[in-house]
Amino acid sequence: MKKMRMLCFLLACTTRLVTVAQTPVEYVWWNPAKNDFPVIEGQAWTGNDIRNPYDRLPAIAEKTVRKEVWNLSHSSAGLMIRFRATTDQVVVRYVVGNKQQALPHMPATGVSGVDLYAGNSDGDWLWAAGKYTFRDTIQYRYANLEPNDSYKRGREYRLFLPLYNSVQWLEIGVPKGVTLTPLPVRLEKPVVIYGTSIAQGACASRPGMAWTAILGRKLDRPLINLGFSGNGRLEKEVVDLVSQVDASLYVLDCLPNLIATVGIKPEDIKSRILESVKMLRQKRPTIPVLLVDHAGYTDGSISPIRQQYYSDVNTLMHQAFVQLKADGINGIYLLPKSQINLDMDAMVDGTHPTDLGMQQYADAYEKTIRTLLNEPVGDRSTMKPRTQYRDGSFDWEIRHRDMLARLKAKPPRIIFMGNSITHFWGGEPKASRINGADSWNSVLEPLGAQNMGYGWDRIENVLWRVYHGELDGYKADQVVLMIGTNNLQLNTDAEIVAGLKFLIQAIKSRQPTAEVLMVGILPRRDGETRVDTLNEAIAQMTTEANAAFVQPGFVFLQPNGKVDESLFSDGLHPNAEGYRRLAGALRPYLKGGKK
């Protein structure tokens, strides 16, 4: 009897545990198409201009483009939704228009699936694996996610939508009690790509592996995918639509759909290239145009006729490019087959890229586009532009948006770029914490200074901001750079110096008439000796970089070389008196300041 009672007890406990384990999670659902502000990124036309929320062409295009192009424009290739949440699980449910959810050479996960990426506070992207079911309503369930990284700020998520199917409706769910914050479409001018099935995404295993999606993450810029499978033919009706988009760059990658088997005469192919460029140049005279060779076929070495197909159209492309240059058409560039350089295993069927091929496409595009946009990257972490989300006292992305608006409305004479030491000093936009408002207002404000400090910024974060518009569209007299202290925990002195030199070069290329004043890293508690040695190297580097250098940190030091704690709030950030002394030491070196 005793054993029986024990058995019943254990059975009851087990039943209770199973019941608890199977308690369903209650989700709160968000429909991006019904959001109060635009959140579906990758669309050039939105709102009343489009027929369906996830279309890629405006409704009016149905009357001008061929039926095949119009039908393909309903595929959601290149569309992405951004949101922020602190959650261990995300569920996506949606319905697609085409019940053929896979293709013979492309899996359902690429044709009809979605793809989720999570960011960390240092601006790196992490891929999230989801459990999926393909039924009338497709569902992706992302479970066991790490809600936060070490900074406990939540994560930004980017959801890439199906490449070869149309989304009829879509909802994103998080557990009840979790706050999901929709993120607006980024305001930067996008890279616009007009291409073929390869641009649309065939044959990526999942949407995030399309070369266009990889490139978008690499450049960290909005990208509009106007790839139309089998129908990217440089047609004037589509080029006219492309020209409607105020872009940072136009990419024309249509040669794979203009080979001999399509039945378009060689002279007509060349004419289409010429007319497409001239139309874009006429309507958008300042936006660069990148023409792209046919990247070839991986069986081209063993199939002479296939080799001839791509060789012939590439010859026409090069002839057209030379003619355009001879005609005085500026701002056009060419990405040749040799630079795309696909290897033997880069294609599924000899024509469409594998994920490996997609990566090789993206690498080639990134290298060329970074040159065109003057956004080089180096081989050290301090030379690779990054966003960040480390400081919980403000939203880094919102501050960047606000900063761009303020710079446009009130161009400054002097720019102070830096981290929290600059951010907390004073000025507009106001920080949640201000330690030196009196010295900012009395010394810097009258000189026309703009506070462009962002709490927790490192060198690579300022580089991102330089690449993304904070020095564009106006002329400053001076750029004051106070950055590097947050790199001390992660980088060697050599990496910090190399990053600062790289950053100075980026600043000078955008503000060529402004003086760059490099402020030596301020002393900090328990780091005085290293900072002093590092500043000597920085001073030497600024001479080589043709920049000015000032080392005002002496005002914070005692005779024994240790920081004067009475001038700091925490051994790093100056208090009001510390900022007053810093302002006094900097004043003689500022444009318009008293010597």
Side-chain angles (χ1 to χ4, degrees):
M1 178 64 72
K2 186 176 181 180
K3 290 183 178 180
M4 181 61 71
R5 285 199 299 269
M6 179 62 69
L7 180 62
C8 291
F9 175 75
L10 291 173
L11 181 62
C13 290
T14 303
T15 302
R16 183 180 179 186
L17 288 172
V18 171
T19 302
V20 171
Q22 293 179 345
T23 301
V25 176
E26 185 177 353
Y27 291 94
V28 176
W29 297 95
W30 170 55
N31 186 333
K34 296 182 179 180
N35 201 66
D36 293 338
F37 51 83
V39 294
I40 303 171
E41 189 164 287
Q43 291 178 306
W45 300 270
T46 59
N48 294 330
D49 291 334
I50 56 176
R51 181 169 300 174
N52 303 307
Y54 296 94
D55 280 356
R56 293 184 291 150
L57 289 182
I60 196 172
E62 185 178 14
K63 299 177 181 178
T64 59
V65 302
R66 286 185 298 110
K67 180 180 179 181
E68 292 80 2
V69 174
W70 173 247
N71 290 339
L72 287 163
S73 74
H74 301 310
S75 296
S76 54
L79 302 191
M80 177 185 73
I81 298 164
R82 301 190 309 136
F83 60 95
R84 185 170 287 139
T86 302
T87 180
D88 64 350
Q89 53 189 295
V90 175
V91 178
V92 184
R93 62 187 184 188
Y94 59 102
V95 170
V96 294
N98 189 347
K99 299 307 176 184
Q100 183 184 359
Q101 295 173 350
L103 297 171
H105 58 339
M106 187 174 178
T109 50
V111 172
S112 305
V114 295
D115 210 0
L116 188 68
Y117 284 74
N120 66 17
S121 296
D122 291 328
D124 299 315
W125 289 102
L126 316 169
W127 178 69
K131 300 291 185 181
Y132 47 83
T133 54
F134 284 86
R135 300 193 179 104
D136 288 343
T137 297
I138 302 174
Q139 180 174 279
Y140 271 69
R141 183 178 295 275
Y142 302 90
N144 302 314
L145 303 173
E146 182 63 48
N148 291 288
D149 58 17
S150 59
Y151 297 94
K152 308 298 183 185
R153 306 299 181 210
R155 297 190 185 278
E156 177 186 334
Y157 288 93
R158 295 184 180 182
L159 183 70
F160 293 85
L161 302 188
L163 297 169
Y164 265 74
N165 219 324
S166 59
V167 174
Q168 304 301 295
W169 66 265
L170 179 146
E171 291 181 329
I172 299 172
V174 294
K176 187 176 181 180
V178 169
T179 299
L180 184 152
T181 303
L183 297 178
V185 170
R186 291 172 291 178
L187 298 178
E188 288 182 274
K189 294 181 180 181
V191 175
V192 179
I193 296 169
Y194 175 26
T196 68
S197 57
I198 298 170
Q200 186 170 338
C203 290
S205 63
R206 46 189 175 82
M209 284 307 299
W211 71 259
T212 49
I214 298 171
L215 179 64
R217 292 195 298 276
K218 283 174 169 287
L219 298 176
D220 202 13
R221 286 184 173 277
L223 186 146
I224 293 175
N225 185 333
L226 296 180
F228 303 108
S229 185
N231 289 276
R233 300 182 182 178
L234 291 180
E235 294 165 307
K236 62 180 181 180
E237 295 83 2
V238 180
V239 176
D240 180 63
L241 291 167
V242 170
S243 72
Q244 295 178 17
V245 186
D246 187 13
S248 61
L249 173 70
Y250 297 124
V251 176
L252 301 181
D253 189 356
C254 292
L255 291 194
N257 286 165
L258 291 171
I259 61 173
T261 56
V262 178
I264 301 174
K265 296 178 180 179
E267 57 268 28
D268 291 335
I269 295 173
K270 183 177 178 181
S271 177
R272 290 190 185 200
I273 298 171
L274 296 171
E275 293 307 315
S276 295
V277 173
K278 289 178 180 178
M279 181 183 294
L280 291 174
R281 185 51 65 240
Q282 180 182 11
K283 296 188 176 183
R284 300 285 186 175
T286 63
I287 299 176
V289 178
L290 177 61
L291 300 168
V292 184
D293 267 358
H294 192 311
Y297 305 121
T298 49
D299 62 333
S301 298
I302 200 171
S303 174
I305 189 168
R306 294 262 286 170
Q307 185 179 71
Q308 185 174 351
Y309 288 156
Y310 65 75
S311 297
D312 287 349
V313 290
N314 284 346
T315 297
L316 293 171
M317 173 65 83
H318 288 237
Q319 290 173 353
F321 184 76
V322 170
Q323 183 174 328
L324 289 164
K325 285 289 190 179
D327 290 341
I329 305 295
N330 297 317
I332 60 170
Y333 306 89
L334 179 65
L335 176 57
K337 175 182 178 297
S338 60
Q339 291 183 17
I340 301 174
N341 196 30
L342 301 179
D343 67 26
M344 182 181 66
D345 296 322
M347 291 183 176
V348 171
D349 51 5
T351 301
H352 299 94
T354 59
D355 288 352
L356 171 63
M358 291 291 184
Q359 185 69 58
Q360 291 174 353
Y361 260 102
D363 289 345
Y365 265 104
E366 181 193 17
K367 184 177 180 180
T368 297
I369 291 175
R370 284 198 176 279
T371 299
L372 300 186
L373 299 182
N374 190 23
E375 296 179 5
V377 296
D379 57 358
R380 308 185 188 212
S381 65
T382 53
M383 301 158 73
K384 297 177 180 179
R386 285 286 188 276
T387 59
Q388 60 101 344
Y389 192 60
R390 292 183 283 266
D391 193 323
S393 68
F394 75 105
D395 188 299
W396 198 89
E397 182 174 326
I398 291 177
R399 182 167 174 83
H400 173 63
R401 283 178 175 241
D402 292 346
M403 194 68 69
L404 293 178
R406 182 171 179 82
L407 292 169
K408 185 176 181 180
K410 189 178 180 181
R413 284 188 61 250
I414 300 176
I415 299 162
F416 271 74
M417 302 195 83
N419 48 48
S420 55
I421 296 173
T422 303
H423 192 170
F424 297 160
W425 196 340
E428 299 285 345
K430 286 185 178 179
S432 59
R433 169 183 170 186
I434 301 175
N435 293 345
D438 61 336
S439 56
W440 182 278
N441 294 337
S442 62
V443 177
L444 301 178
E445 188 70 28
L447 297 177
Q450 171 63 56
N451 187 329
M452 290 169 64
Y454 289 49
W456 258 114
D457 258 14
R458 298 176 183 143
I459 297 167
E460 56 269 28
N461 305 130
V462 178
L463 181 64
W464 189 97
R465 296 197 276 124
V466 169
Y467 283 176
H468 290 256
E470 291 193 6
L471 295 182
D472 297 340
Y474 62 95
K475 287 186 178 181
D477 292 336
Q478 189 176 39
V479 179
V480 181
L481 202 53
M482 295 177 57
I483 195 68
T485 194
N486 291 324
N487 291 91
L488 292 172
Q489 305 170 54
L490 299 174
N491 299 108
T492 65
D493 289 3
E495 289 171 335
I496 292 172
V497 173
L500 289 172
K501 184 175 182 180
F502 200 79
L503 177 58
I504 289 171
Q505 292 168 342
I507 292 171
K508 282 179 165 292
S509 70
R510 286 160 176 79
Q511 290 283 345
T513 62
E515 178 194 66
V516 177
L517 175 62
M518 180 74 231
V519 179
I521 296 175
L522 300 184
R524 54 190 292 168
R525 181 191 297 152
D526 300 327
E528 297 92 340
T529 300
R530 183 185 177 189
V531 167
D532 185 55
T533 301
L534 177 56
N535 279 334
E536 291 180 6
I538 294 173
Q540 181 178 345
M541 175 275 295
T542 54
T543 300
E544 298 168 359
N546 194 27
F549 177 80
V550 60
Q551 191 170 340
F554 67 90
V555 302
F556 295 102
L557 295 175
Q558 302 177 81
N560 63 3
K562 295 294 185 180
V563 297
D564 184 344
E565 296 282 354
S566 69
L567 301 176
F568 292 89
S569 60
D570 54 8
L572 173 64
H573 299 94
N575 57 24
E577 178 58 28
Y579 277 117
R580 280 192 284 271
R581 297 195 184 187
L582 178 60
L586 284 177
R587 189 174 194 167
Y589 299 91
L590 300 178
K591 293 286 186 179
K594 295 180 180 179
K595 299 295 183 182

